[in-house]
């Protein structure tokens, strides 16, 4: 029986994708991950500053990140202890980690925000799903007012697990505080259409790219100015290497020039942190070329996506069957223009099969979905 796979082997398998990332990244571009967590979460996930810095270096040597606490079991009162940890870790990072404070609108947010900002926090993180709040009835207006007076950005969870009316309430509060830079996490997928339509009247609305579906990236690049999109990867749930590869692939597919790509991967978030406002333009997209894709690529993306979801939700047997179908797609005797994609994807897919065949556990799941991410991303873009 072969040895169980490990992260070192995965990075070797991903060598062609990492080489492509280096080719897509403009030389000397500053890379700043706008969406990363540190500490411990109630769900058992955790990430130390040393682990995050290692992950950043796996993407690009010396990459930086904005950091904030997870949904920490020790968050009461007011996220004080997790915020203090993040502030200390950022202070010890030599400038590579930029601290945001995490606030709970129902637990003394303004006092905690003022305390953290005085100690060096550079932004505010809100998570309406984890903290179980909505933006109606002015519940978040005092926090927006604080961000406005302190001239700091706010990063807000806008992914899954939110009610249908979430987008409407958030747009309302952003319209009341248009000077606050708001970064909607996860491409704003919970209500991307509403947010995209609101962008022209919100000069400081941005989106981070921390999402796994490449078609969502392409959809957003098609609807808003790329000056509104910033790289994010969501560790420990995502990884900087994965997220950077996908957003660079999507940017290339959208036809962005080198200057614009530099903004997406780090330049835009640096301008936001520096206090610049209203520079994102009217909010319209730069007319990317029509999306034309080979249906064989869609087959590969579909099987990888379903396997990714099955593995993430704890169903390795279901995931393994779907990965086997993805492997078969890559064996197409007439690959046409997808020959290079299938050749790159096949070793990663075989690695995922080995990880899913090993004794189940969080480490093997992480390796499997990490391997699947890259064929999935390339097929979508």
């Amino acid at each position: 029986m072969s040895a169980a796979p490990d992260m070192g082997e995965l990075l070797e398998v991903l060598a062609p994708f990492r080489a492509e990332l280096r080719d897509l990244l403009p030389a000397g571009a500053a890379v700043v991950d706008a969406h990363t967590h540190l500490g411990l979460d109630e769900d058992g996930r955790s990430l130390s500053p040393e682990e995050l810095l290692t992950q950043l270096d796996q993407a690009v040597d010396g990459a930086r990140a904005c950091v904030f606490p997870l949904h920490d079991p020790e968050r009461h009162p007011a996220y004080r202890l997790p915020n203090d940890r993040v502030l200390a870790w950022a202070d010890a990072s030599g400038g590579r980690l930029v601290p945001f404070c995490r606030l709970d609108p129902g637990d003394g947010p303004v006092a905690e925000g003022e305390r953290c900002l005085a100690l060096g926090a550079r932004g505010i993180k809100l998570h309406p799903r984890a903290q179980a709040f909505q933006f109606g009835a002015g519940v978040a207006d005092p926090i927006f007012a604080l961000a406005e007076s302190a001239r700091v950005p706010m990063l807000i969870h806008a992914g899954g697990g939110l009610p249908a009316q979430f987008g409407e309430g958030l747009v309302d509060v952003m319209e009341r505080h248009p000077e606050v830079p708001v970064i909607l996490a996860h491409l704003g997928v919970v209500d991307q259409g509403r947010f995209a339509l609101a962008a022209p009247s919100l000069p400081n609305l941005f989106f981070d790219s921390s999402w796994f579906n490449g078609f969502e990236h392409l959809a957003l690049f098609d609807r808003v100015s790329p000056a509104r999109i910033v790289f994010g990867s969501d560790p420990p749930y995502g990884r900087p290497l994965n997220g950077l590869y996908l957003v660079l692939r999507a940017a290339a597919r959208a036809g962005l020039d080198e200057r614009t790509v530099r903004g997406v991967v780090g330049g835009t978030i640096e301008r936001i942190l520096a206090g610049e406002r209203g520079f994102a333009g009217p909010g319209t997209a730069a007319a990317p070329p029509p999306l034309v894709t080979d249906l064989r690529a869609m087959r590969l993306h579909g099987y990888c996506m379903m396997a990714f979801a099955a593995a993430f939700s704890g169903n390795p047997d279901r995931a393994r069957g779907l990965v086997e179908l993805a492997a078969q797609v890559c064996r197409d005797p007439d690959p046409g223009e997808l020959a290079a994609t299938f050749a790159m994807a096949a070793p990663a897919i075989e690695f995922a099969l080995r990880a899913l065949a090993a004794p189940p556990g969080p480490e093997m799941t992480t390796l499997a979905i990490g391997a699947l991410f890259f064929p999935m991303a390339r097929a979508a873009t």
Side-chain angles (χ1 to χ4, degrees):
M1 180 180 294
S2 61
D6 58 26
M7 182 57 68
E9 184 181 353
L10 175 58
L11 291 174
E12 292 179 7
V13 168
L14 297 178
F17 298 98
R18 299 174 76 190
E20 184 184 11
L21 182 154
R22 290 191 293 272
D23 289 340
L24 292 171
L25 185 68
V31 174
V32 184
D33 191 330
H35 187 146
T36 75
H37 308 85
L38 289 176
L40 177 66
D41 195 282
E42 278 191 350
D43 66 9
R45 297 292 187 111
S46 64
L47 194 66
S48 71
E50 294 79 16
E51 290 168 328
L52 176 58
L53 290 171
T54 296
Q55 290 186 17
L56 290 166
D57 286 335
Q58 288 170 352
V60 176
D61 284 340
R64 300 166 60 221
C66 300
V67 294
F68 29 82
L70 285 156
H71 190 47
D72 198 299
E74 297 183 291
R75 61 187 176 273
H76 299 298
Y79 268 96
R80 177 180 287 265
L81 183 56
N83 282 332
D84 281 344
R85 289 175 179 147
V86 166
L87 287 164
W89 289 329
D91 186 59
S93 72
R96 292 189 62 187
L97 304 180
V98 181
F100 281 35
C101 59
R102 183 162 175 166
L103 303 179
D104 180 347
D107 191 2
V110 173
E112 175 63 6
E114 290 174 340
R115 186 186 74 87
C116 291
L117 292 168
L119 292 173
R122 303 276 301 282
I124 294 169
K125 165 68 183 292
L126 296 180
H127 202 303
R129 187 193 71 208
Q131 267 61 71
F133 73 91
Q134 297 185 40
F135 285 94
V139 66
D141 281 82
I143 303 173
F144 272 77
L146 172 63
E148 191 168 27
S149 65
R151 295 188 61 78
V152 297
M154 297 175 62
L155 190 144
I156 299 173
H157 173 81
L162 294 166
Q165 65 271 31
F166 171 83
E168 183 178 356
L170 180 51
V171 169
D172 285 346
V173 71
M174 287 191 290
E175 288 177 341
R176 290 196 295 274
H177 301 274
E179 291 301 310
V180 178
V182 173
I183 304 166
L184 298 177
H186 315 303
L187 300 172
V189 295
V190 66
D191 204 354
Q192 189 183 94
R194 184 186 301 276
F195 296 137
L197 288 173
S201 64
L202 294 170
N204 295 299
L205 173 61
F206 301 88
F207 302 77
D208 86 39
S209 67
S210 60
W211 197 246
F212 54 89
N213 186 341
F215 288 117
E216 291 280 14
H217 288 70
L218 296 176
L220 189 62
F221 275 114
D222 189 55
R223 299 191 75 169
V224 306
S225 164
R228 293 180 180 269
I229 300 174
V230 300
F231 159 53
S233 70
D234 196 24
Y237 304 97
R239 297 181 74 90
L241 175 63
N242 303 30
L244 185 60
Y245 177 78
L246 178 51
V247 78
L248 285 170
R249 284 282 307 183
R253 177 62 191 77
L256 304 191
D257 60 26
E258 182 176 297
R259 178 177 177 273
T260 306
V261 173
R262 287 177 181 274
V264 170
V265 301
T268 296
I269 189 65
E270 287 188 325
R271 294 178 71 178
I272 294 169
L273 292 169
E276 294 188 39
R277 300 290 181 263
F279 62 82
T284 55
L291 178 61
V292 178
T293 188
D294 192 308
L295 294 178
R296 289 164 293 190
M298 294 185 70
R299 292 184 67 217
L300 178 60
H301 179 271
Y303 287 130
C304 287
M305 173 70 78
M306 289 188 289
F308 184 100
F312 194 82
S313 61
N315 192 342
D317 291 337
R318 172 65 174 159
R320 190 161 56 248
L322 291 162
V323 176
E324 288 170 352
L325 290 171
Q328 196 64 18
V329 172
C330 292
R331 300 186 186 109
D332 193 317
D334 182 22
E337 294 182 356
L338 289 177
T341 291
F342 289 166
M344 290 174 67
I349 289 170
E350 292 299 326
F351 180 94
L353 282 172
R354 286 181 53 212
L356 291 167
E363 182 179 358
M364 290 302 107
T365 299
T366 296
L367 292 172
I369 63 178
L372 290 170
F373 187 96
F374 289 84
M376 186 169 73
R378 186 174 170 98
T381 53

